[in-house]
Every structure is written in structure tokens, then in C-alpha cells.
Amino acid sequence: MTNINFEPLPDDRRGANKRRHTETAAQLRERPGEWAHIFSMGSVTSATSRAYDIQNGRIAAYRPPGAFEARSRTADGTYRVYARYIGDNHTD
């Protein structure tokens, strides 16, 4: 027989994550052009992916695409995501 564990279903974290992104984006919009360390991730891949998602507007709080710049960096042994708001009507 397969060994299974019965346990309570964990809380859905999507709401908390959405709020965190909304609050982070709002703070960046208040200080356009300034880089900020906004997240620490568990791996360089996760940090790079998060930076990509922010910069390309794949997370709703950071839309329209291109309104934010984001980069990943490794500093002091942690994988960090930095971002800044550059404006909704930027030109390349």
C-alpha cells in the first residue's frame, strides 16, 4: 500500500504575493530611477527569472512591460533582485 500523509491544506499564498508585488511596485514608482534591492531568492536561476518577469511585465504590478528595469546580482552569497521604475512612457 502507498504511504500517504493526511494533513491540513496550507494557506494559498497567491494573495500575499500579489500584495507584496503591488506594494513593491508602488514604492519603486515613488522614487523613479533609483535602484532598490527588492527580493532575495534561493538560487541564481530564481533571481534571474524574477528579474525577467518584472522587466517584461509578466507580473501585473510591474506593467506595462518595460516600465521597470530589473537585474539579478549575487552579493554577499545571496541571489538578489534589484529593480527601478523608469516610467510608463519610456523610449529606448
Side-chain angles (χ1 to χ4, degrees):
M1 177 175 273
T2 303
N3 191 15
I4 62 173
N5 294 318
F6 288 91
E7 57 187 55
L9 181 65
D11 290 336
D12 188 345
R13 300 277 307 147
R14 288 179 289 189
N17 287 336
K18 182 178 179 181
R19 274 190 306 281
R20 182 171 182 201
H21 285 296
T22 300
E23 291 168 2
T24 298
Q27 289 178 7
L28 293 170
R29 281 187 168 93
E30 290 173 3
R31 296 175 71 165
E34 283 188 63
W35 286 102
H37 170 209
I38 60 170
F39 297 110
S40 293
M41 309 299 288
S43 70
V44 68
T45 302
S46 294
T48 301
S49 178
R50 178 66 51 88
Y52 177 88
D53 290 347
I54 290 168
Q55 185 153 321
N56 291 286
R58 295 183 70 186
I59 300 170
Y62 306 103
R63 290 183 186 148
F68 293 84
E69 286 185 313
R71 302 286 186 271
S72 62
R73 296 288 187 266
T74 303
D76 300 323
T78 61
Y79 308 107
R80 299 178 179 188
V81 178
Y82 291 84
R84 67 180 175 174
Y85 176 68
I86 57 173
D88 296 351
N89 297 315
H90 69 283
T91 57
D92 292 331

